[in-house]
Structures are given as structure tokens and as C-alpha cells.
Amino acid sequence: MNCRIAARSYPVRRNTILLSLCLLLLSGVLQLAVAVATITLVLVTGIESILGLGPAIFITAGALAALPAGRLMDRLGRVPVIAGGFVVGAVGCVLTALGCAAESSAVVILGFVGVGAMNGAVLLARTAAADMYPPERRARAISYVLFGALFGAAMGPLVFRPLFAGKDLELDTLVVPWFAAAGIALLASLVALTIRPDPRTIALELELADPDSTPRAPAAPLREILVRPGVPSAVLAALSSFAVMVAVMNLSGYIVVGHRHEQADVFTVISFHIVGMYALVLVIGELIDRIGRRTCLISGLAVMAVSTVMLAWAESILWTSVSLFLLGLGWNLSYVAASAELVTHATPVERGRLVGFTDLTAGLLAAALALLGGAAYTEWGAVAVAVGATIAVALPALALLVGRRPGAPAFEPAG
């Protein structure tokens, strides 16, 4: 019995749909965080110069949560970590709402930490997707799960925008939206608990069922995994694409308001960005499996460079939305290719730590870029953000383009 035949006895399609639904609900919560994180902290502290601090806290918390969450996934399974991540996020949303009501910056910051930790843990769901599919279909598997986040784009205009419409942007205005986000996160936790069997269990059993597979040694040290052929280039692309996308996305809310648009208009821009991230993900997943991951790593970074250049002159909601759409599209292409490459070079008991480490490093880099970008915007405006972001994706793309193609992998994962 080979892996593909064995897979038919598992509810792979059902689990994939449920994982996709988890990403949908996560996307809804994150829309609120992206749209108002900068404004929330500025309002609660009264200090405009720290506008990059809110996103930096959120991103750093997600980064620091990713590696331990990945290790727990390798030991306990994917479902407990995903469900637990949503619970932590719900608590974080409640704390943020209470902090806004009490005008307490300390409570708001603690809430941001919880929401960020949720994001860091739940994004590892793409590892769960890869567990259930053979190597040649892993980019598509990841795309199936990420596709759910596309529908989360509707939550901004449908759920959160009405809560801000016609209201002055004050701390009291933020309380109800954050409580609503907490409810969404709790619902997502319940959805995650219905995923059975755990995708890690499926991966391990499929490996045992494959007569062509060789017995696996215990999980290798992370330093050994990171030097396997194909892994360094995937890590580089993942770092640059994720860090720049997250940093620019989190600063976009303040940039839009800085162009004298209303806070409610931010949700339009963010929705276009999320559409760019996920609308074509099914096509892109298949494209990556067909034409190769290295080509897509470079192409995705190139599209991101085009989008960030546009930020230098885009001031209208229309052109800012186009820029953020292309940013999401380029990230989609590069990041899905990088994720598929990473999980292909790791066993079921190594994938969580490898992807978690990559997310940790990318998140810390994103937090640094958000802080630097916030300071640059305060001093020089959107042009400085555009130039810095373009350099941050163009240089890695050039390095991958001129670098040596990886040879035959020394490690061959089981299918």
C-alpha cells in the first residue's frame, strides 16, 4: 500500500476544509489588528512618534510564539496548538478592549501580545496541510488552506467597518470591535478542535504505510536541517517576503489616514490586500508545483518590489489598494513556494520546528522593519517606507537569481 492509496482512508478533504475555515476566521481578526493597531496605541499613549510600536509588539509576539508552537506541534500534534492559539488570541482581544475602555497602555500592550501569539501559532496550519499530501502536491495543499483567508477579507467591510462608520476615532470606539474579534477567535478554536485525526498522525501513519520509505531517525538538530540543499534559499525568500509584507501591511493604516482619508477607508485597502494574498492562491499553488519553487520565489519578490515602489506616489484609496493588492499577490507566490520547499526537506517530526524557526526569524525582522518604517514615515513620509521596502525585497531576489541552483538534495523526504 503506498501513500496515495493510504490517504484515501483519511478525511483529508474534510480536514483541509476545516483548516481553511480556521484561516478564514484568523484573517477576520487580523483585519482589525492591522487596521487599528497603530491608532490604538497612539490613542492610548498620546505619543504619535511610536506609531510603529503597536505593529512591532504584535509581530514580535507572533514571532516569539512560532518556534515553541512549532516544537509543540511536532510533539503533541497540530490541532492542540492551533486551538490553543485561538484561545490565547481571544484573551488578547478581550484585554485590548478592556485596555481601551480603561485607557491603560499596559493592558492594551498585553492584549497585543496575545493576539500576536495567536497569529504565530495558527499560521503554522500550513504545516498541517502539508502533512496530508504527497510532496509533489504540497504547494497546492498549502494553497487550499490559505484560500480560506480570502473569505476573511469580507469581515472587515461587513463586520468591523459598520462599527466605525460615522464615529470619531476615540478609544471608546475601539472597545466593541475588539470584543467582537474575541468572539470570532473563540469560534475558530471550536472549529479547530473538530479536525480529526490530527494531521501529524496522518503524516506519520502514511510514512509507515509506504513500503518504499526508509526507517526514520529521530528528528535532526535544527542547525542540520537548515543547511540541507534547498532550505537556505527557501528561508531567505520566506524572511524577506513575510517581513516586508507584514511591515508594510501594518503601517498601511496609518499611511492611509496620513493621506487624509477616513479610518473606515483603511478596511477597503486591507481587504484588497487580503484578496491579493489569497484570491489566486489555488492557481498559484498549482503553478508552483508545475514550474518550480525557485522560479516562483524570485518572481514573487519581484512583484512585491513593484508594489512597494508604487507606495512612493500612491495617495488615493484606489492606487493604494492596487499597491497593497500586488504586495499580497507577490507574497502569495514567494511565500507559498518557500513553505512548500521547507516542508519537503523535513520529516513529520521536524516540520514544525523548521517552519516555526523561519516564522520566528521572519517575524522579528518584520517587527524591526515596522519600527524602522514607522520612524521613517514620521520623519520623511511614505516615500521613505517605499524605498526601504523595495530594497528589502529586491536584494534577496537578486541574490537568488544570481546564486547557484541547489543540487540534488542530500535529504529525500518520504512521500
Side-chain angles (χ1 to χ4, degrees), residues 140-306:
R140 275 171 282 189
I142 293 169
S143 73
Y144 296 153
V145 172
L146 292 178
F147 186 61
L150 169 65
F151 300 97
M155 286 192 179
L158 295 179
V159 177
F160 296 119
R161 185 183 178 109
L163 298 177
F164 288 95
K167 298 180 180 179
D168 293 331
L169 190 59
E170 300 175 352
L171 283 174
D172 289 344
T173 309
L174 296 169
V175 174
V176 173
W178 280 112
F179 274 127
I184 295 171
L186 284 177
L187 175 61
S189 179
L190 295 176
V191 171
L193 290 174
T194 64
I195 300 171
R196 299 189 186 94
D198 193 288
R200 175 181 175 273
T201 300
I202 295 177
L204 291 171
E205 292 185 3
L206 291 180
E207 188 176 54
L208 290 173
D210 185 2
D212 297 326
S213 66
T214 56
R216 287 294 176 204
L222 183 59
R223 63 180 180 275
E224 293 183 12
I225 303 173
L226 288 170
V227 297
R228 289 172 181 166
V231 173
S233 60
V235 170
L236 176 62
L239 294 186
S240 55
S241 62
F242 183 84
V244 171
M245 185 276 292
V246 171
V248 173
M249 178 179 67
N250 279 277
L251 289 171
S252 63
Y254 208 87
I255 291 174
V256 168
V257 174
H259 288 319
R260 299 182 181 179
H261 299 291
E262 296 182 0
Q263 178 65 38
D265 292 327
V266 176
F267 290 105
T268 300
V269 174
I270 297 301
S271 292
F272 270 93
H273 175 62
I274 293 177
V275 169
M277 290 173 70
Y278 302 115
L280 299 177
V281 69
L282 297 181
V283 176
I284 285 176
E286 184 170 355
L287 180 69
I288 292 169
D289 284 337
R290 285 176 179 267
I291 70 174
R293 295 164 190 163
R294 183 176 181 274
T295 299
C296 293
L297 295 179
I298 298 169
S299 300
L301 292 174
V303 173
M304 291 182 70
V306 172

Side-chain angles (χ1 to χ4, degrees), residues 241 244-245 276-277 280 284 287 295-311 322-334 389-390 393-394 397:
S241 62
V244 171
M245 185 276 292
M277 290 173 70
L280 299 177
I284 285 176
L287 180 69
T295 299
C296 293
L297 295 179
I298 298 169
S299 300
L301 292 174
V303 173
M304 291 182 70
V306 172
S307 75
T308 53
V309 166
M310 290 180 63
L311 284 176
V322 172
S323 172
L324 269 290
F325 172 84
L326 291 175
L327 181 72
L329 184 63
W331 168 85
N332 187 340
L333 187 59
S334 183
T390 302
V393 289

Side-chain angles (χ1 to χ4, degrees), residues 318-373:
L318 173 61
W319 285 111
T320 304
S321 297
V322 172
S323 172
L324 269 290
F325 172 84
L326 291 175
L327 181 72
L329 184 63
W331 168 85
N332 187 340
L333 187 59
S334 183
Y335 198 67
V336 171
S339 297
E341 185 76 352
L342 290 173
V343 298
T344 296
H345 291 284
T347 70
V349 294
E350 295 173 342
R351 289 171 188 158
R353 73 186 65 190
L354 175 59
V355 176
F357 171 80
T358 304
D359 286 0
L360 163 66
T361 311
L364 292 177
L365 180 59
L369 290 180
L371 277 174
L372 183 61

